[in-house]
Amino acid sequence: MSYQYSNLTGAIADKNCPLRGYLDHRFPNLKPVQADYRASAGTLLVEGNGASPGTVGAAFDYLLRFTLDPAYLPQTAIIAEPIFNRPNYLDAVTELAELAGHAHTRPLSEHTFTTAARASWALALCTELYRNPFVLPTSPLADPLRTGTFTVDTLLGLASADAVAQLRSLYTLAVTELAEILSAAPKRVTLGPTFAASLHCGADADLIVDGVLVELKTRLGSLNRKTGQRSDSLSLADIYQVIGYVLFDTTDTFAIHTVALYSARYGALHRWPLQQLLDTLAGAPVDLAAERATVSALLGAPKVPVEPR
């Protein structure tokens, strides 16, 4: 059967997708993992405001990436150039990346953070248009593109005060809760990694630090209408997403040994040893190399000999 899904997220969302069927069959034991997650989820620490939740999440992601690597260049924003069709697009994106890279500075002044946050917000908007060009009519970038004012100064002004304030709260919390990742001197950091199987089904994670795959989430959580309180939970899509990344690394390029999810609004970092997580989800010992070979074949990749670990 030929594979018909262009990205991992879409494949997971469709129950009729062969990859989704494989995940349902091979890793059905989700409840223990979800129960452990809920038990350590904590309480909501950063509320939402008028800022776009999706753009907040993307901008926060960029802030953390630039904190880890001030020279980082966001490829998803850069390769959107044909969509924008502006002669100065690459220059503007490169300058925004330089400004966002100041998030790496320590100590980080209020002014420096605000500039980095605004630059990250603008880069997030560019990335949103790359991922879905159909949102252009309602994008804050529409007017600068239409009027020919697509400049760094204009782009830095697109983030509202609410957006900057929310990013500041999320970032301040993350600096403490992710201190082990953000403040240490990791040997190997990969930002926005793609995998061998991404050639057959698009998939790019948030970051991998010394073999720890970290996925960032900025969701508010579900609302209990009786109490007015929100609570965080781990969905099927969350689980399939992170193990999907692991399985897509068919060449074991990143030597992933731990999977982590950071729930930014709750300040909670959840970590699972990879082999333990896979064994729990499967309800039996898992041969990772063999499962990767299965996924590779399912995606239509050429078959290669596999030796079990």
Side-chain angles (χ1 to χ4, degrees), residues 18-37:
L19 179 61
R20 169 62 188 273
Y22 157 79
L23 293 169
D24 285 340
H25 174 74
R26 191 67 185 89
F27 301 103
N29 199 26
L30 277 61
K31 289 185 179 180
V33 177
Q34 292 172 320
D36 288 344
Y37 184 96

Side-chain angles (χ1 to χ4, degrees), residues 208-283:
I208 301 176
V209 181
D210 289 341
V212 180
L213 185 149
V214 183
E215 188 66 14
L216 307 172
K217 300 295 183 184
T218 55
R219 59 190 170 216
L220 283 164
S222 57
L223 176 66
N224 185 321
R225 298 192 179 279
K226 291 184 179 180
T227 64
Q229 302 296 313
R230 290 188 178 274
S231 59
D232 195 16
S233 61
L234 187 68
S235 69
L236 174 148
D238 293 332
I239 297 174
Y240 283 0
Q241 182 181 26
V242 292
I243 65 173
Y245 292 146
V246 172
L247 294 171
F248 273 34
D249 186 19
T250 54
T251 53
D252 200 26
T253 299
F254 300 104
I256 300 168
H257 57 75
T258 301
V259 170
L261 188 150
Y262 177 64
S263 186
R265 295 185 185 278
Y266 292 77
L269 178 64
H270 305 268
R271 299 169 63 114
W272 301 272
L274 175 58
Q275 191 63 53
Q276 178 183 318
L277 176 63
L278 294 175
D279 292 349
T280 299
L281 292 171

Side-chain angles (χ1 to χ4, degrees), residues 31-54:
K31 289 185 179 180
V33 177
Q34 292 172 320
D36 288 344
Y37 184 96
R38 285 194 301 271
S40 58
T43 57
L44 182 66
L45 301 176
V46 180
E47 298 278 356
N49 54 29
S52 165

Side-chain angles (χ1 to χ4, degrees), residues 31 35 64 116 123 160 188 206 212 214:
K31 289 185 179 180
L64 293 192
L123 291 170
S160 66
R188 183 184 183 190
D206 287 330
V212 180
V214 183

Side-chain angles (χ1 to χ4, degrees), residues 113-187:
F113 171 81
T114 299
T115 301
R118 290 185 174 279
S120 295
W121 185 269
L123 291 170
L125 292 173
C126 293
T127 299
E128 287 175 359
L129 276 187
Y130 162 71
R131 296 191 185 280
N132 184 9
F134 296 106
V135 304
L136 177 58
T138 58
S139 170
L141 295 174
D143 189 62
L145 288 170
R146 180 180 57 81
T147 59
T149 57
F150 192 87
T151 65
V152 171
D153 287 342
T154 299
L155 296 175
L156 288 176
L158 296 179
S160 66
D162 284 344
V164 174
Q166 195 172 159
L167 287 172
R168 182 182 296 107
S169 297
L170 290 168
Y171 188 77
T172 301
L173 187 59
V175 168
T176 298
E177 300 303 327
L178 297 178
E180 180 183 345
I181 295 173
L182 298 178
S183 301
K187 296 178 181 178

